[in-house]
Amino acid sequence: MTISDIVSILEARILCGEDKLSTEVYSACCSDLMSDVLAFVNEKTVLLTGLTNMHVLRTAEILDLKCLIFARGKIPNDDIIARADQMNLVVLTANKTMFTCAGLLYDGGLRGAAMAWKEEDKL
């Protein structure tokens, strides 16, 4: 799936990175806990979140994410958008809940990021 497909599926608004919409993505992750994203996401992916702070950008940078999608129509401040643009991230906002965004993207063929479980974490 391309980021352009995501824009279409979610009827999202592009906040930066419009020149990178042809980028292919293979998985997605939804979380407002960046520690969970750092612990479980181990591949290039799309992050759906409701957080609009600098921690999201730091997480995206560490994991080499391709695209950030802010759910519930949230829009980060201009400093965050400018920094995301410098990082070559595509930033979108979607006027839907995170659950709805995830469902629509899954229905469109995008799958969840693989999680690496430790044996002791299994029930």
Side-chain angles (χ1 to χ4, degrees):
M1 174 178 294
T2 66
I3 296 174
S4 180
D5 295 329
I6 292 172
V7 171
S8 180
I9 289 168
L10 297 181
E11 300 173 336
R13 182 173 150 209
I14 304 161
L15 301 178
C16 73
E18 192 164 351
D19 59 323
K20 296 166 203 68
L21 297 182
S22 63
T23 303
E24 291 277 338
V25 294
Y26 301 100
S27 62
C29 174
C30 299
S31 187
D32 283 343
L33 293 172
M34 295 302 105
S35 58
D36 280 355
V37 176
L38 288 167
F40 295 114
V41 174
N42 58 9
E43 58 187 271
K44 295 177 183 181
T45 190
V46 172
L47 174 62
L48 290 104
T49 187
L51 293 180
T52 60
N53 60 37
M54 196 58 77
H55 297 293
V56 174
L57 289 184
R58 289 190 192 111
T59 301
E61 188 170 33
I62 290 167
L63 296 174
D64 192 24
L65 300 180
K66 300 293 183 194
C67 178
L68 297 176
I69 303 168
F70 293 103
R72 300 184 301 276
K74 291 192 173 187
I75 299 175
N77 68 40
D78 291 340
D79 292 339
I80 300 231
I81 293 171
R83 177 66 183 125
D85 197 34
Q86 290 173 348
M87 294 169 56
N88 293 313
L89 278 170
V90 177
V91 178
L92 309 174
T93 184
N95 199 23
K96 297 171 178 17
T97 66
M98 198 168 6
F99 182 82
T100 299
C101 288
L104 289 168
L105 293 176
Y106 189 90
D107 192 45
L110 193 61
R111 295 300 178 245
M115 292 178 56
W117 291 93
K118 298 178 203 159
E119 193 59 38
E120 62 268 17
D121 290 339
K122 294 180 182 178
L123 294 176

